[in-house]
Amino acid sequence: MVTDVSDEKLEQVKDIIEQIAGSRDEAEIKELEASLREITGRSDISASDCFEYWSHTSLTDLAMTFLLPEPAKQGLDDDRLAEIIENIWFARYSSPETDYQLKVLKIETGLSNISDYIYYPDTVGLDPDAGVWTIIEKIFEDRNKPPIALTGN
């Protein structure tokens, strides 16, 4: 996992999410949102992310998503990037960590459509059944290409 999250902290965040999801009191929701932001250290979390979370994720996955830090450019080497890509491709990460690692890859490679390379390789010029090493090579090749300049008439 990206970070070591204590069971206690995970349980606290899960509890707050459930309280928010079950509340209809705006003042209480704002207080709970402030608590959630304080515990996670993330100001970008919104109480609205907690409403009906069960329709798209599990309680644990949402809590882990809130507890993961925002990724920052680290200058990862090719071996580490390849390892991340391979782990995503072979579904070795949980859903929250997959989302986190896709953000890391986007920052590190500069490819805004990084998930297309892994999940929809045909959209980036590869065979739809491309293997992981072919995908890695294509990502490494494309990250170095300058952006295409559009010219207007």
Side-chain angles (χ1 to χ4, degrees):
M1 197 62 185
V2 174
T3 61
D4 292 323
V5 175
S6 73
D7 289 341
E8 181 182 339
K9 198 173 215 182
L10 181 62
E11 290 306 315
Q12 285 178 311
V13 171
K14 287 167 59 175
D15 183 52
I16 294 171
I17 291 169
E18 286 194 313
Q19 288 179 54
I20 290 171
S23 181
R24 299 294 170 244
D25 181 320
E26 281 189 47
E28 179 185 33
I29 291 171
K30 286 197 180 294
E31 275 184 41
L32 291 166
E33 180 183 70
S35 294
L36 194 56
R37 289 177 175 180
E38 184 178 330
I39 290 169
T40 62
R42 297 203 27 211
S43 61
D44 62 325
I45 293 173
S46 171
S48 63
D49 296 330
C50 303
F51 301 134
E52 298 183 16
Y53 68 84
W54 53 86
S55 68
H56 60 88
T57 192
S58 72
L59 178 59
T60 300
D61 281 355
L62 182 58
M64 287 303 299
T65 297
F66 288 166
L67 288 165
L68 289 173
E70 280 301 308
K73 183 140 179 113
Q74 302 169 52
L76 299 177
D77 65 23
D78 287 355
D79 289 339
R80 180 66 183 123
L81 294 174
E83 179 184 344
I84 292 170
I85 295 163
E86 187 176 347
N87 285 337
I88 292 171
W89 199 81
F90 285 111
R92 293 180 182 141
Y93 294 131
S94 66
S95 180
E97 189 164 23
T98 296
D99 292 343
Y100 175 86
Q101 295 294 7
L102 285 168
K103 290 176 187 175
V104 167
L105 289 174
K106 181 178 178 181
I107 290 168
E108 294 291 331
T109 66
L111 297 170
S112 61
N113 62 336
I114 192 70
S115 62
D116 290 347
Y117 286 78
I118 298 166
Y119 299 116
Y120 310 104
D122 57 316
T123 64
V124 295
L126 294 173
D127 185 282
D129 298 320
V132 67
W133 292 107
T134 302
I135 291 168
I136 290 169
E137 287 173 9
K138 178 71 169 158
I139 289 170
F140 288 174
E141 176 186 320
D142 289 357
R143 71 171 172 193
N144 297 320
K145 288 184 179 176
I148 298 171
L150 299 176
T151 58
N153 292 2

